[in-house]
Amino acid sequence: MYSSDQTVEDERLIYHADLLSQLSNPKRLEVCIHLSGREEDVNSLAKKLGISQSALSQHLTRLHHSGIVKVRRQAQFRYYTCDHPGVQQILKTLGNIFDVDATPAAADAAKDDAQSRKR
């Protein structure tokens, strides 16, 4: 029995480590913040994030394979959303730790603030 219990625990730890690894990339974290509670297509999201569609597609593919982002196909378009409960809790916790609301509007405001400090 111990071997089976240990295997389940190992698989759970691997899953959690992968989830955290995906979120450790600043751009993928930003993607999750923008997709939290809303649906976006690649074109719109790429414009908001200021990255190419191909770079964004690579990030979205990784997030989708990890189960963090969901995709909905409608005709030739794909719409992405992030409603993963663990990720939602992580975003909320990060917002609490850093006293910043983990919402797209707050992320944009924080980004603008950081850019203005560099000037």
Side-chain angles (χ1 to χ4, degrees):
M1 288 287 181
Y2 176 74
S3 176
S4 176
D5 290 343
Q6 187 62 44
T7 301
V8 169
E9 180 66 11
D10 289 347
E11 289 173 359
R12 188 176 68 84
L13 291 172
I14 290 168
Y15 173 77
H16 290 155
D18 179 60
L19 184 131
L20 292 172
S21 174
Q22 296 304 321
L23 296 178
S24 70
N25 177 283
K27 202 48 83 172
R28 285 194 295 272
L29 181 61
E30 187 177 16
V31 166
C32 289
I33 290 169
H34 278 279
L35 294 178
S36 180
R38 74 177 67 171
E39 199 175 55
E40 291 272 355
D41 66 282
V42 173
N43 294 333
S44 300
L45 190 57
K47 287 177 186 174
K48 288 179 182 177
L49 298 177
I51 62 174
S52 69
Q53 289 179 6
S54 62
L56 177 57
S57 290
Q58 290 177 10
H59 288 301
L60 288 168
T61 297
R62 289 188 68 162
L63 292 167
H64 179 66
H65 285 296
S66 291
I68 295 171
V69 167
K70 292 180 183 174
V71 62
R72 178 180 66 86
R73 290 176 178 84
Q74 182 175 350
Q76 73 268 26
F77 298 102
R78 292 181 182 180
Y79 297 91
Y80 295 87
T81 188
C82 178
D83 62 359
H84 186 285
V87 172
Q88 297 304 310
Q89 187 62 44
I90 289 168
L91 294 177
K92 182 178 177 181
T93 301
L94 287 174
N96 290 336
I97 290 170
F98 297 107
D99 198 29
V100 174
D101 185 17
T103 63
D108 291 342
K111 186 190 249 184
D112 292 343
D113 185 45
Q115 288 175 346
S116 68
R117 280 190 232 155
K118 288 181 182 177
R119 294 180 196 152

